[in-house]
Each structure stands twice: as structure tokens, then as C-alpha cells.
């Protein structure tokens, strides 16, 4: 072949490659678009976890039920109102936040209720134009009380209200936050702690400490700065550590040995004592630690923050060098299932493509090789024990949060954990595999998403849906509902 012919041939090849690339990009872009109003259960394929679709025992398909019908019906024992509004809040550390607040406070009021109570909370939106909602993170509420805009309700508009009701069944530490434009609204302050106290609360000190960064340095709230509290030696102390941020935070407790007595609103039985250990609490997660106040001071800190919470006189040094590995922590083991009705594999990754019709080609978050909204939706029936195998190949950690259920942690990287524990938020780091089990005992349509909320806003979201449940609510820019 002559030089001319060679040049012509390569020009043809280059043209063909370019055309193919343009065709691919046009198709990928087109497929990435989402309607202005859409039913979040209808966009992606259904994943049945290796089991056949479910039918009633008599062979008929499951009757349809709307999420709007799945509400708490008991009579309320305790009532609160939370008003969401813009606020300028000065933390005790002097830091001034131009934020969004419940009842003018950041974090919002700490709600304390008794185990067994039916809790009623009325949300009022004073002036937040994007709308608001409240999700009860970690409380396995009836689906219609879950507070997800566009899935279980419409976002509450300015001047509107919505009343939530749920039974506080398990004593422990929870939190609440807006689930409308959550990446923005939670960062700016629309969150607070919820504590379910046991029926007979034990005596002693009981403190919630929340880590949140408002997009800047992390603060230990509600005090912020350096807080001191007098506690008499011998007093039982329970610290409830809440990570209300987008990234894992390492909490260190200096000056005392302690036990991990609760995780994500579930008590651990007979937990072992550990000393000078750092706890890595995933975004959205809560770890409760307990100890008897020694004669010398005890100090709580978070790695990377100058804030300190000190009990007793003075401050203890906090050593962040020894991380507690929960996979080898010892406590009394709960009953552990060995057979599963379904096994779902959720592989977190990245894939070149477009996001929601945007023009920027980039590496998007993916689940099982699909970019939102084409991620598979997990489909289950009531009364099962199912398993999820999370695999992370994305290069970034993802704190995965399942609504409405607790997941029993079984194994990391194929190795069974010493004492399985229950979570609603689990950090899946890159390169890791985690096996968890859960019971399908709470019908509805539930979000399963990354609690690094900017990741969720960029599509790291899927759903767990019970067969026969549907939603009348719509998401999308034209619906006013944008849960992430
Ligand atoms: Cu704490 Cu779907 O959220
Ligand atoms: Cu993530």
C-alpha cells in the first residue's frame, strides 16, 4: 500500500472511532436522563436475590398496598413540634453558622423518649423554600413515617406541616434529619439526636456527642469547643457518639477503660472492656460507650478536631493510635442465621458515563456496573431472612445505610466476625467485602444508600422494596421532591 492509501485508511479509521465515540456518548447521555417526575421504583431493573418472585401462599399475587397506608396506628404518648427555618446560630465555641435549624438550634433539640412510647412529632416548615422532611435514622418505623421525600411523602413546603408517629421499641441512640435535599440541608444543620431511654433509666451521666463539620473543621456538638463537666468518681457514664457527618470520624476516649454498650440503637450484651482505643464511627452511625467515672479526668476527642469533652477536673490525653476493630470485639453473640432466602450482591464501583442528563462525562458511582437510575432494586417478601454481600471496588469508602431495618454483620472479607452486631450504617471501605443478614419484617419501600450524602446526591442510591407495595409519591425536579 502506498503512503497515500495508508493515510486515507487511517483517516477512515479515525473517523469511524470518532463516530463510534459520539454515538456511544449520545446513547449514554440519553440513557442517563431522568424524567422530571418519576416513580423511583420503576427506573431500574429488579433484583430478586436469586429467588423466584413471591406470591401469596394461596398462589395469588400479593395485593397492592400504598406506602401512604403504612402508618403507625397506636395512640401517642409523647408529642413534639419541630419548626424548620433559616437561622444564624452561634456555637458555644463562638463559631457562627448561617444555617438551617430545627427550633432555631443546631443541632436541633435532643429528643428523649421512653422505650415503648408512641412518639408524635409535627414538623413545621417556616421558610425553607426547597421543602423539608424528617427521617428517623435507625428507628425501624412503619414505612409511611420514614420521611423520604418522593418515596414515603411529599416534601413539606413553606407553611406546611407533617405529623410523624412511631413506636420507640428499642432503647438506644438514634438521630433525625431532613431527607429532602439532604446533602445540603443536613450539612447546614437540619439534624438532631433522638435518644430512646430504657423503661427504667439507670442513674448516672448520659450524654450525646455529635460530630458534624458543616463543610469545615469537625465540631463536637452540642457544646463545640472545650467543654468541662464535673462528674463524681464512681458515677456510671454513658457517652452516645453520633456521627452526623459525611465521613467516618475517629473518636478517642482518654483516661478510662470502657465498654461498647450499644451500636446503632441496639444494645450489646456483656461487652468486653477495652482501654485507650479509638472508635471509627461511620457516617450516620452511633456507638455508645460506658464506664464508671475514675478519680482522674476522662476526655473525649475526635481525630482532627480541637474540640474536647472532659469529665472531672482537668483533661486526659487522648491516644488515637489504637483502633478498636469491631470484627474481633467480644460480647455475647446473638442468634445468627445460617440459611438465607435470598442473597443480594451489591458491588460499589465507578463507571464512565453521564449523570441525570448532565453534560459532564465522568466517572460516576455505580452499583453492579449500573449508574443511577439504572441500579438494580432489591425485591423481597415479608418473613424472609436475606443476605447482602457488599463489595467495594470504587476506590472510596461508602457508609451504606439501610432504612427501616437493622443488618446483622456476619463477615468481613470472608472471615466471620467474632460477635455479629446489628447496624443500620456500615462503612464499606474500598477493597472490602462485608456480608450482612436482615429480616424482612417491615413492609415498604426503603432507601439503601451511601450516607456520604454528596455521594447519594450523585446517585449512590438504591431501594429495598417489598413485593406488592407501591408509592403514590414522585421524585424529580418537576415533583418538588429530591430526597438526596
Ligand atoms: Cu440518615 Cu437515608 O438517611
Ligand atoms: Cu459513598
Amino acid at each position: 500500500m502506498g503512503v497515500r492509501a495508508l493515510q486515507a485508511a487511517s483517516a477512515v479509521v479515525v473517523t469511524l472511532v470518532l463516530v463510534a465515540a459520539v454515538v456511544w456518548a449520545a446513547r449514554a447521555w440519553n440513557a442517563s436522563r431522568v424524567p422530571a417526575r418519576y416513580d423511583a421504583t420503576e427506573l431500574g431493573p429488579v433484583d430478586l436475590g436469586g429467588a423466584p418472585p413471591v406470591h401469596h401462599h394461596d398462589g395469588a399475587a400479593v395485593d397492592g398496598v400504598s406506602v401512604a397506608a403504612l402508618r403507625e396506628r397506636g395512640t401517642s404518648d409523647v408529642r413534639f413540634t419541630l419548626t424548620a427555618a433559616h437561622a444564624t446560630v452561634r456555637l458555644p465555641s463562638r463559631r457562627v453558622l448561617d444555617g438551617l435549624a430545627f427550633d432555631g438550634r443546631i443541632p436541633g433539640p435532643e429528643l428523649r423518649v421512653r422505650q415503648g412510647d408512641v412518639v408524635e412529632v409535627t414538623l413545621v416548615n417556616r421558610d425553607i423554600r426547597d421543602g423539608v422532611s424528617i427521617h428517623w435514622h435507625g428507628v425501624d418505623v412503619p414505612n409511611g413515617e420514614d420521611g423520604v421525600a418522593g418515596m414515603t411523602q411529599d416534601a413539606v413546603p413553606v407553611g406546611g406541616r407533617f405529623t410523624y408517629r412511631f413506636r420507640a421499641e428499642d432503647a438506644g441512640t438514634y438521630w433525625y434529619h431532613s431527607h429532602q435535599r439532604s446533602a445540603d440541608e443536613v450539612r447546614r444543620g437540619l439534624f438532631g439526636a433522638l435518644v430512646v431511654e430504657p423503661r427504667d433509666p439507670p442513674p448516672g451521666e448520659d450524654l450525646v456527642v455529635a460530630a458534624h463539620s458543616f463543610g469545615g473543621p469537625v465540631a463536637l456538638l452540642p457544646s463545640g469547643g472545650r467543654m468541662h463537666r464535673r462528674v463524681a468518681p464512681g458515677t456510671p457514664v454513658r457517652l452516645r457518639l453520633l456521627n452526623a457527618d459525611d465521613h467516618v470520624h475517629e473518636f478517642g476516649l482518654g483516661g478510662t477503660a470502657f465498654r461498647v454498650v450499644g451500636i446503632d440503637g441496639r444494645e450489646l450484651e456483656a461487652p468486653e472492656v477495652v482501654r485507650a482505643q479509638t472508635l471509627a464511627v461511620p457516617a450516620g452511625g452511633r456507638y455508645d460507650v460506658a464506664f464508671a467515672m475514675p478519680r482522674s479526668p476522662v476526655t473525649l476527642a475526635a481525630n482532627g478536631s480541637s474540640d474536647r469533652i472532659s469529665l472531672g477536673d482537668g483533661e486526659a490525653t487522648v491516644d488515637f493510635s489504637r483502633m478498636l476493630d469491631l470484627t474481633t470485639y467480644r460480647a455475647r453473640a446473638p442468634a445468627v442465621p445460617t440459611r438465607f432466602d435470598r442473597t443480594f450482591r451489591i458491588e460499589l464501583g465507578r463507571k464512565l458515563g453521564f449523570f441525570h442528563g448532565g453534560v459532564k462525562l465522568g466517572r460516576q458511582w455505580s452499583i453492579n456496573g449500573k449508574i443511577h437510575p439504572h441500579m438494580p432494586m432489591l425485591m423481597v417478601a415479608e418473613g424472609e431472612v436475606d443476605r447482602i454481600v457488599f463489595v467495594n471496588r470504587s476506590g472510596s469508602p461508602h457508609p451504606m445505610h439501610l432504612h427501616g431495618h437493622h443488618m446483622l454483620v456476619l463477615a468481613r472479607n470472608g472471615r466471620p466476625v467474632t460477635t455479629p452486631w446489628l447496624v443500620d450504617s456500615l462503612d464499606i471501605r474500598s477493597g472490602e467485602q462485608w456480608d450482612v443478614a436482615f429480616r424482612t419484617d417491615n413492609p415498604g419501600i426503603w432507601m439503601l444508600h451511601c450516607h456520604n450524602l454528596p455521594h447519594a446526591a450523585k446517585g449512590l442510591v438504591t431501594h429495598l422494596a417489598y413485593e406488592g407495595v407501591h408509592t403514590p409519591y414522585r421524585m424529580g425536579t418537576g415533583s418538588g421532591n429530591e430526597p438526596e
Side-chain angles (χ1 to χ4, degrees), residues 324-359:
L324 177 68
D325 180 358
L326 276 179
T327 69
T328 55
Y329 190 66
R330 287 180 192 283
R332 190 168 304 133
V336 176
T338 50
R339 291 191 53 244
F340 306 98
D341 294 295
R342 300 169 197 275
T343 296
F344 298 99
R345 184 183 164 86
I346 294 193
E347 188 173 316
L348 308 166
R350 304 199 86 161
K351 194 185 172 197
L352 191 67
F354 297 91
F355 179 67
H356 285 193
V359 292

Side-chain angles (χ1 to χ4, degrees), residues 110-381:
E110 182 178 307
L111 306 183
R112 283 202 175 240
V113 300
R114 280 293 154 86
Q115 186 175 12
D117 281 354
V118 173
V119 183
E120 180 179 308
V121 183
T122 300
L123 163 65
V124 178
N125 180 0
R126 187 182 298 151
D127 65 2
I128 297 171
R129 302 222 354 232
D130 286 336
V132 284
S133 71
I134 299 182
H135 168 57
W136 308 96
H137 185 123
V139 187
D140 297 336
V141 299
N143 193 220
E145 314 286 353
D146 199 40
V148 178
M151 176 56 73
T152 64
Q153 67 174 95
D154 283 323
V156 176
V158 173
R161 53 179 62 216
F162 187 96
T163 299
Y164 299 92
R165 296 166 75 248
F166 57 88
R167 190 177 293 276
E169 264 174 77
D170 294 278
T173 310
Y174 305 88
W175 63 303
Y176 61 90
H177 63 76
S178 180
H179 222 307
Q180 161 71 357
R181 299 189 64 98
S182 58
D184 178 56
E185 295 190 356
V186 177
R187 179 179 51 78
R188 294 171 69 191
L190 282 184
F191 69 93
L194 167 67
V195 175
V196 178
E197 296 179 340
R199 286 197 183 83
D200 307 297
E205 284 289 328
D206 184 321
L207 281 182
V208 179
V209 179
H212 194 77
S213 65
F214 308 98
V218 62
L220 291 181
L221 303 166
S223 60
R226 287 177 120 83
M227 194 269 259
H228 282 271
R229 198 182 184 101
R230 280 227 122 91
V231 178
T235 307
V237 180
R238 183 176 182 125
L239 298 178
R240 302 170 182 271
L241 313 177
L242 155 63
N243 184 347
D245 225 343
D246 288 326
H247 304 276
V248 68
H249 280 300
E250 295 176 1
F251 287 87
L253 191 62
T256 185
F258 61 88
R259 300 172 194 272
V260 180
V261 291
I263 295 175
D264 287 3
R266 293 294 179 272
E267 299 287 300
L268 269 61
E269 278 189 64
E272 70 174 309
V273 175
V274 289
R275 174 167 277 283
Q277 303 266 12
T278 306
L279 292 162
V281 183
R286 289 88 57 214
Y287 287 6
D288 294 12
V289 298
F291 54 91
M293 186 65 201
R295 305 204 156 270
S296 46
V298 171
T299 294
L300 175 73
N303 211 351
S305 170
S306 55
D307 288 4
R308 296 277 182 281
I309 314 262
S310 294
L311 311 180
D313 287 323
E315 270 186 14
T317 45
V318 180
D319 165 18
F320 288 102
S321 64
R322 273 171 58 212
M323 186 74 70
L324 177 68
D325 180 358
L326 276 179
T327 69
T328 55
Y329 190 66
R330 287 180 192 283
R332 190 168 304 133
V336 176
T338 50
R339 291 191 53 244
F340 306 98
D341 294 295
R342 300 169 197 275
T343 296
F344 298 99
R345 184 183 164 86
I346 294 193
E347 188 173 316
L348 308 166
R350 304 199 86 161
K351 194 185 172 197
L352 191 67
F354 297 91
F355 179 67
H356 285 193
V359 292
K360 237 176 95 194
L361 179 65
R363 294 171 68 229
Q364 313 296 344
W365 302 120
S366 65
I367 294 181
N368 296 352
K370 304 281 188 214
I371 301 170
H372 194 272
H374 302 290
M375 295 168 161
M377 179 174 73
L378 283 50
M379 192 78 147
V380 300

Side-chain angles (χ1 to χ4, degrees), residues 415-438:
R415 184 177 309 152
V417 301
T418 303
T419 311
W421 74 97
L422 287 161
V423 294
D424 54 62
S425 307
L426 182 66
D427 221 12
I428 318 282
R429 304 198 175 183
S430 192
E432 285 181 345
Q433 172 184 321
W434 289 85
D435 300 5
V436 303
F438 65 100

Side-chain angles (χ1 to χ4, degrees), residues 135 137 148 175 177 179 401 403 447 449 451 453 484:
H135 168 57
H137 185 123
V148 178
W175 63 303
H177 63 76
H179 222 307
H401 170 49
H403 286 213
M447 296 197 93
H449 65 91
H451 221 284
L453 296 174
E484 308 304 339

